[in-house]
Amino acid sequence: MSVATRFLRPFRPDRPVRRYPGTNRPMHYPSPGDQTRYIPSTGSLTPPEEMPVRPRAVRPRPGPGPGKPAILADPFFGPGLAGVSVILWVVGLHPVPPSAIGPIGLIANLSVPTLLAYPLLVAAVVLELLRYQPRTWFMSGYTLLGVVFVYGVQPAVEEIARLPTAWLHSGFAEYIANHGEVLQGYDARFSWAGFFSLVAMITKAAGIPNALPLLNWAPVVFAGLMVLGVRALAVSALGNRRASWFAPWLFLAGNWTEQDYFSPQATAMVLMLAALTLTFRHLVRPRLTEPVKARLRVRLAPRSSPKARLVAQGAVVLIALGLAPTHQLTPFVLAGMLLLLLLFGRLWPAWLPFVVFGAAVVWFSLGATDFWSGQLIQMILSPLGDVSSSVDQGIFSRLSGDVGHLVVLLIRIAASGYVAALALLGILAMRRDNLKSWLLPTLCAAPFGLALVQSYGGEVFMRCFLFALPIMALPGAILLERALTEARRLRWRNRPRRTMAVAAIPWLALTVLAGMTLVARGGNDAYTSMSRQDFAAASWAVGQAQPGQRVDSLVNAVPSAFARVGEVEQSEADIYCADLVHVPAAVECLQEKGPDYLVLTGPQFAYLEILNAAAPGYEQQLLQGLQASRLYRVVFNDDGALVLGRANEAMPNPQPAEGGTG
């Protein structure tokens, strides 16, 4: 009796034998009662009667069914769309001066060809991922183009680097490069001077006087590194699948926070993503998406080799030591995520979160004493648990200003909720597939716990969203991958419309998110973008001032503190003047507390008009009021960018700029 196994099945005598290339014919075996047929030594046997061969029906090849666009199967159609998008994006670009930007921001000044480039590029991405095997080089190229399209549109159309804070950071780095030490008691950011020290070393080694040439395209570089980090994080957490391409695109299209400029937090974000990638790749088991319950006491050793685990642990510790003197919040967020991985039984080295947290605490205690000395209770301990203050400063107090600006703020809130909704739907879909762990939703929500600690100057929820975005992109990517998989399973001949509709879900999701991000990122450009004339006025005032004199602007909407940090005082009038909107009150305050040089530029007046509802004609009224007081007069004028000099003991007779129209 024969037994069927995986490799040996019972022999059946009447089983047809497959022959190639002919048709299958049954084999006839002699029965025990049949007589033996002898073959004569000479002659030949009569050829047996051939069995009639049934004519083989020729099945016609199915042609393109109704509604099937055959061009979509062309392997060069997607790259062609990407090429067309590049041409449209470049052709549609044109310079946009700050004076032409209204309350709605930069989006109103972008041309139609430039705006059409974004959906075409997303369509190329979706078509590539619909292929049986997506081509890595093409996807990498599309992602690089996406980084340039989303984060490079402002550097491409604006005259000089935007965001006054970026200019301030260049001034901090220049001070360290020139003096070899930080400036004590000047700014809290000098307590975390790791980024500024690194930039000072780079500029010294390169032989350039400052970091101003690096400011304009810094968002593209930092954002590209972040997108690369999210791609590596997705591959480590999800594996090399289509979802690991959707995750960086969700981060790319959803990062409206604009924290990728020339700043310590951008560098710290890149380092944090590198640490999380190493952790998920070599120090975590099981993966986040595996439907396995893990326990803290019975942790499984990762599948990596002992050498790889040792190198990964050392690299994470080095990153933590670099994060501690670089940024205030990022090391604590990284330590919190590692602690959650440990509590859920996924992290192999139990000591790692405590080392990361300890490095941040040690630096805060010893290296940042200039920041918390004398105000530990007021700034650190008192806000603990005060969620209402964080919500009020981070959300409700910001909902003010012009109608166009309110629209931009609502779009930012909608974009954040949009990404959170995609993540939630992805988590629900994964739980349907027996995902038993709550680790992934906990990691998505954990960064928002910062609101319990600090309002962070009203920016806490923006920072929370930035820290949570790489993690929320993982379940959101799985959701988009499922829609794409469903489209690949459908057949064009049977259900062409349904196939097209399902395949359009990822395209529509990414296109809508990218559109909201374009509006949100450029919403402040009326007062954060600057012209060469603005820089010329600020540079002249800083260069003309004597040591100890003050060079101020009305609000923080002008390049400032990019040179002579610590030598010339540089600040904003809205810090010491409670009312700048009403001209008589502003003139009176500036007469009493005003600086030696007052820089007046167009973005400052746009700031006051959009956010503080200054009346039309405010600029002329303020200028006339200051000149009528005989305390200030125009000493520099470059196409409307003014510098007013104060007639006081320090500067009894301010002289106009040579060549200017004073």
Side-chain angles (χ1 to χ4, degrees):
M1 178 178 180
S2 61
V3 179
T5 63
R6 182 177 178 182
F7 303 100
L8 181 63
R9 301 180 183 272
F11 179 76
R12 292 183 295 176
D14 56 345
R15 182 178 180 181
V17 177
R18 182 176 297 274
R19 293 174 177 171
Y20 184 85
T23 58
N24 293 335
R25 297 179 181 178
M27 295 292 295
H28 300 281
Y29 297 90
S31 60
D34 291 347
Q35 294 182 356
T36 303
R37 186 177 181 181
Y38 294 94
I39 300 176
S41 57
T42 60
S44 62
L45 294 175
T46 305
E49 297 181 0
E50 295 185 359
M51 298 181 60
V53 180
R54 183 175 299 178
R56 186 177 181 181
V58 180
R59 188 176 181 179
R61 178 178 296 181
K68 179 182 178 181
I71 194 173
L72 296 181
D74 193 330
F76 298 103
F77 180 64
L81 281 180
V84 172
S85 69
V86 172
I87 296 174
L88 291 176
W89 191 79
V90 173
V91 169
L93 292 178
H94 59 89
V96 180
S99 58
I101 303 177
I104 196 65
L106 184 64
I107 190 69
N109 299 90
L110 296 180
S111 63
V112 174
T114 298
L115 295 177
L116 288 177
Y118 295 90
L120 288 179
L121 181 61
V122 176
V125 172
V126 174
L127 286 176
E128 187 64 33
L129 293 177
L130 278 170
R131 293 176 56 87
Y132 176 76
Q133 187 174 0
R135 295 165 290 187
T136 303
W137 282 105
F138 281 92
M139 283 302 304
S140 301
Y142 298 158
T143 307
L144 179 60
L145 288 178
V147 170
V148 176
F149 280 16
V150 175
Y151 303 98
V153 61
Q154 290 158 317
V157 301
E158 295 175 353
E159 297 182 9
I160 58 175
R162 51 200 308 278
L163 294 175
T165 311
W167 297 76
L168 176 66
H169 293 165
S170 175
F172 288 174
E174 182 181 357
Y175 180 88
I176 295 176
N178 294 335
H179 297 82
E181 59 182 3
V182 299
L183 182 59
Q184 299 293 337
Y186 182 81
D187 192 282
R189 281 164 285 200
F190 270 123
S191 297
W192 287 270
F195 170 76
F196 309 127
S197 302
L198 176 63
V199 174
M201 182 185 68
I202 293 175
T203 54
K204 275 286 188 181
I208 56 179
N210 50 50
L212 294 182
L214 308 178
L215 301 186
N216 197 23
W217 290 93
V220 178
V221 176
F222 281 117
L225 293 176
M226 292 181 194
V227 171
L228 178 62
V230 175
R231 161 66 179 169
L233 178 66
V235 172
S236 301
L238 307 178
N240 194 7
R241 47 193 280 193
R242 288 175 173 83
S244 62
W245 281 114
F246 275 125
W249 268 90
L250 280 175
F251 181 88
L252 183 156
N255 181 19
W256 58 265
T257 59
E258 210 169 357
Q259 295 301 305
D260 40 49
Y261 64 100
F262 190 79
S263 62
Q265 55 263 36
T267 307
M269 188 67 185
V270 174
L271 293 177
M272 189 187 77
L273 289 173
L276 290 177
T277 299
L278 290 171
T279 302
F280 286 137
R281 176 65 179 87
H282 297 289
L283 305 177
V284 168
R285 184 182 177 189
R287 284 180 175 175
L288 300 181
T289 56
E290 293 184 21
V292 177
K293 282 189 176 181
R295 297 179 180 179
L296 175 60
R297 295 184 178 181
V298 189
R299 300 190 308 279
L300 301 175
R303 296 182 176 90
S304 302
S305 64
K307 181 180 178 181
R309 293 198 295 266
L310 182 62
V311 172
Q313 294 174 47
V316 173
V317 170
L318 288 178
I319 291 174
L321 295 178
L323 281 176
T326 301
H327 197 236
Q328 304 95 323
L329 296 181
T330 310
F332 295 100
V333 175
L334 176 60
M337 290 187 177
L338 294 179
L339 184 60
L340 287 175
L341 290 173
L342 175 64
L343 294 178
F344 278 86
R346 305 293 180 105
L347 184 64
W348 171 248
W351 53 268
L352 191 58
F354 303 100
V355 171
V356 176
F357 182 78
V361 170
V362 168
W363 179 263
F364 182 84
S365 303
L366 302 178
T369 54
D370 191 39
F371 166 73
W372 58 263
S373 179
Q375 53 184 359
L376 179 63
I377 297 178
Q378 179 183 358
M379 297 191 63
I380 307 299
L381 300 180
S382 296
L384 288 177
D386 192 1
V387 184
S388 60
S389 176
S390 299
V391 173
D392 181 64
Q393 296 184 37
I395 299 179
F396 295 112
S397 64
R398 290 176 171 264
L399 295 176
S400 60
D402 189 90
V403 176
H405 185 69
L406 287 176
V407 171
V408 173
L409 294 177
L410 292 177
I411 289 178
R412 291 175 180 174
I413 297 175
S416 305
Y418 185 86
V419 176
L422 289 178
L424 179 61
L425 292 176
I427 290 172
L428 293 178
M430 294 167 66
R431 292 195 69 83
R432 281 187 178 182
D433 292 345
N434 202 23
L435 180 65
K436 303 176 181 179
S437 175
W438 287 92
L439 174 60
L440 187 55
T442 305
L443 288 176
C444 292
F448 292 92
L450 291 174
L452 300 173
V453 181
Q454 262 280 345
S455 63
Y456 206 69
E459 295 184 355
V460 62
F461 286 103
M462 181 174 61
R463 303 300 177 93
C464 292
F465 176 74
L466 176 63
F467 288 134
L469 183 58
I471 307 298
M472 290 194 296
L474 301 181
I478 291 178
L479 180 68
L480 297 184
E481 182 191 52
R482 295 200 171 195
L484 201 70
T485 303
E486 182 65 22
R488 295 179 66 246
R489 289 176 178 173
L490 296 174
R491 295 192 177 185
W492 285 98
R493 291 191 307 109
N494 299 335
R495 297 177 179 178
R497 294 182 180 178
R498 183 178 176 183
T499 305
M500 179 71 75
V502 175
I505 291 176
W507 172 82
L508 185 62
L510 292 176
T511 302
V512 170
L513 186 59
M516 289 192 291
T517 299
L518 281 177
V519 177
R521 285 184 65 90
N524 298 341
D525 279 11
Y527 49 86
T528 57
S529 64
M530 294 162 290
S531 64
R532 293 186 178 90
Q533 291 76 16
D534 301 339
F535 171 68
S539 179
W540 183 89
V542 172
Q544 187 75 12
Q546 299 298 319
Q549 288 186 332
R550 287 168 51 199
V551 177
D552 290 357
S553 57
L554 295 177
V555 293
N556 187 21
V558 67
S560 62
F562 54 86
R564 303 185 70 181
V565 173
E567 183 181 355
V568 175
E569 297 184 21
Q570 304 174 57
S571 183
E572 296 84 39
D574 61 346
I575 296 178
Y576 50 82
C577 291
D579 186 5
L580 286 177
V581 177
H582 298 91
V583 174
V587 171
E588 182 180 356
C589 177
L590 291 172
Q591 284 180 345
E592 180 182 355
K593 306 176 182 179
D596 299 287
Y597 292 95
L598 181 63
V599 182
L600 299 178
T601 57
Q604 299 180 56
F605 299 110
Y607 181 99
L608 294 172
E609 292 175 4
I610 294 174
L611 298 182
N612 297 343
Y618 172 83
E619 178 181 356
Q620 295 299 328
Q621 295 176 18
L622 179 64
L623 186 59
Q624 292 174 3
L626 290 175
Q627 288 181 327
S629 67
R630 296 184 181 275
L631 192 60
Y632 283 97
R633 72 186 184 97
V634 176
V635 295
F636 182 90
N637 185 355
D638 188 354
D639 197 16
L642 307 177
V643 178
L644 273 63
R646 182 183 182 97
N648 52 22
E649 296 179 358
M651 187 180 55
N653 186 20
Q655 297 297 323
E658 294 183 2
T661 57

